[in-house]
Amino acid sequence: MDALDVLKAKYLDGIAAAGDEAALEEIRLAALGKKGEISLKMRELGKMTPEERQTVGKALNVLKDEIDAALRAKKTALADAALDARLAQEWLDVTLPGRPRRQGTIHPVSQVMDEVTAIFADMGFAVAEGPQVESDWYNFDALNIAPEHPARQEHDTFFMARDPADPRPPHVLRTHTSPVQIRAMQAQGAPIRVIAPGRVYRMDMDQTHTPMFHQVEGMAIGKDISMANLKWVLEEFCKAFFEVDNVELRFRASHFPFTEPSAEVDIRCSWEGGQLKIGEGNDWMEILGSGMMHPKVLEAGGIDPNEWQGFAFGMGIDRLAMLKYGIPDLRAFFESDLRWLRHYGFAALDLPTVFGGLSK
Ligand code: PHE
């Protein structure tokens, strides 16, 4: 074996044995680097006779190419092996079923909105919507709440910023879902039967109040709709929602600018042993505000009050959720604490229906 064969065997063996890219680079430098063994041998060509130079030079170039090719091949092989190792470690069986533990849950507020919507849909109510940033007119004036009306203060309104030079009243974050009454009347006319669930805002914060909360508005307008219809609809709703066969409602005279007459509605319940039971016992719990729509409100919605009449009601969705599912603190609803959501949340794929069951 001549000297070049010895070199060749040394480097090719080294390359074959190299375990990583750093080892390969070391070999490359030792052989082909500026001061590498092959490079030095190339430099010696100058001292040879022309004949020697031709044979040795050629042999050296062949050796250089061989080592170079072996280095590249090994580098690719190492990269492939690294990728294979990674793939072997990170494989994922996409045919496995999902892990229920990791599944998201439906927030109690969304659940109750779905339940309420299902119950009223069953009674022929469609869902209407309106914006959360509402004009002063829709939130107040159209609902017969004049600028100097005390109800405006009671609502603890959040006002949007407005250029002080602009004489128009600023927009507000809607303080109730009642403005959707006006929008729905304008959009659909009479007769009409809608509910409007959604977010509302008031400046208030304690165990039972948050600055953002949810209401559902209800409205039915026809030629002869009366308080009797209101009472029946609310009773049917409460039976279905609280999933009890009997409920008793008490209508208490009240006042809202947008209804006449107005009534707050209480439901018979018992709190024995700290446990709420609906439909029995000797306590009464207020659950909503309601009444016959004021003629001025019908007019604001573009409906002739001499021809049509209707009822409206509004109730707090969050409170309904707290009552039905025994959730003590309202503030936790909006803290996005995953442990809370997992505890109080609902299975994501179970849609509540009146016939299939609301909460189970
Ligand atoms: N908008 C009233 C509130 O927020 C509730 C209500 C709606 C009362 C409709 C009567 C009729 O308190």
Side-chain angles (χ1 to χ4, degrees):
M1 233 206 286
D2 73 8
L4 287 192
D5 284 334
V6 174
L7 269 190
K8 176 174 163 178
K10 175 171 118 186
Y11 285 116
L12 292 189
D13 287 352
I15 290 169
D20 55 30
E21 271 197 50
L24 277 184
E25 179 63 6
E26 238 171 74
I27 295 170
R28 192 187 67 80
L29 286 173
L32 311 176
K34 244 192 207 156
K35 291 188 177 139
E37 231 171 334
I38 312 279
S39 312
L40 291 179
K41 286 217 179 301
M42 294 271 203
R43 252 177 253 168
E44 284 167 15
L45 289 174
K47 295 178 206 150
M48 296 177 184
T49 64
E51 295 78 41
E52 277 178 324
R53 197 182 299 157
Q54 222 181 22
T55 43
V56 179
K58 196 172 168 195
L60 274 177
N61 269 322
V62 169
L63 176 58
K64 185 180 157 227
D65 288 347
E66 270 179 329
I67 295 179
D68 198 52
L71 282 168
R72 284 172 200 279
K74 181 71 180 188
K75 197 170 169 182
T76 311
L78 282 176
D80 285 352
L83 183 61
D84 281 348
R86 209 178 128 198
L87 287 176
Q89 239 190 355
E90 294 180 4
W91 69 278
L92 180 75
D93 184 350
V94 292
T95 64
L96 280 177
R99 291 185 193 145
R101 255 186 318 124
R102 296 240 177 136
Q103 217 168 51
T105 56
I106 299 296
H107 194 286
V109 170
S110 303
Q111 167 76 17
V112 166
M113 275 198 190
D114 289 346
E115 291 180 18
V116 169
T117 304
I119 297 168
F120 280 106
D122 211 44
M123 295 192 274
F125 287 75
V127 170
E129 284 180 320
Q132 294 174 45
V133 175
E134 190 53 283
S135 77
D136 186 83
W137 188 81
Y138 277 106
N139 195 78
F140 294 121
D141 296 270
L143 291 158
N144 196 32
I145 310 175
E148 66 286 352
H149 197 288
R152 288 207 179 205
Q153 272 75 59
E154 283 161 29
H155 277 213
D156 301 315
T157 311
F158 286 108
F159 294 95
M160 306 302 288
R162 167 83 92 198
D163 181 349
D166 193 327
R168 293 171 302 170
H171 276 52
V172 301
L173 290 180
R174 70 179 180 194
T175 58
H176 49 179
T177 42
S178 299
V180 187
Q181 286 184 28
I182 309 294
R183 291 184 176 275
M185 284 188 280
Q186 287 177 336
Q188 299 173 39
I192 184 174
R193 237 184 290 177
V194 289
I195 59 163
R199 295 181 162 192
V200 300
Y201 303 83
R202 293 184 199 177
M203 248 181 279
D204 212 348
M205 182 76 168
D206 60 33
Q207 200 183 339
T208 52
H209 296 90
T210 48
M212 184 281 299
F213 58 104
H214 301 82
Q215 286 188 334
V216 57
E217 195 80 8
M219 172 175 84
I221 301 173
K223 293 276 179 187
D224 52 10
I225 297 255
S226 71
M227 289 290 268
N229 301 123
L230 171 67
K231 186 157 192 279
W232 182 84
V233 163
L234 292 177
E235 277 169 1
E236 287 303 301
F237 167 73
C238 288
K239 276 194 264 180
F241 180 75
F242 290 108
E243 301 177 53
V244 292
D245 292 334
N246 290 304
V247 295
E248 198 181 331
L249 296 183
R250 179 172 79 178
F251 279 54
R252 216 166 3 87
S254 181
H255 177 263
F256 300 103
F258 30 89
T259 44
E260 181 59 40
S262 302
E264 279 174 296
V265 177
D266 304 332
I267 190 166
R268 185 185 283 282
C269 66
S270 131
W271 281 105
E272 237 172 63
Q275 173 95 48
L276 174 68
K277 287 212 183 85
I278 298 288
E280 50 189 88
N282 291 313
D283 285 326
W284 294 94
M285 181 171 58
E286 184 196 320
I287 52 166
L288 61 90
S290 66
M292 294 303 292
M293 294 178 71
H294 196 289
K296 284 191 181 165
V297 174
L298 290 167
E299 252 165 26
I303 288 176
D304 183 355
N306 296 313
E307 217 184 313
W308 301 96
Q309 58 189 35
F311 67 70
F313 60 85
M315 57 189 158
I317 290 182
D318 317 271
R319 217 169 88 84
L320 286 179
M322 291 171 80
L323 292 172
K324 181 165 177 181
Y325 294 113
I327 307 172
D329 190 334
L330 177 64
R331 288 167 299 194
F333 275 62
F334 310 119
E335 280 168 1
S336 303
D337 183 331
L338 272 182
R339 289 162 304 175
W340 187 92
L341 288 168
R342 288 201 186 106
H343 182 75
Y344 287 112
F346 292 82
L349 298 176
D350 293 345
L351 266 193
T353 60
V354 172
F355 48 90
L358 289 172
S359 65
K360 28 200 168 277

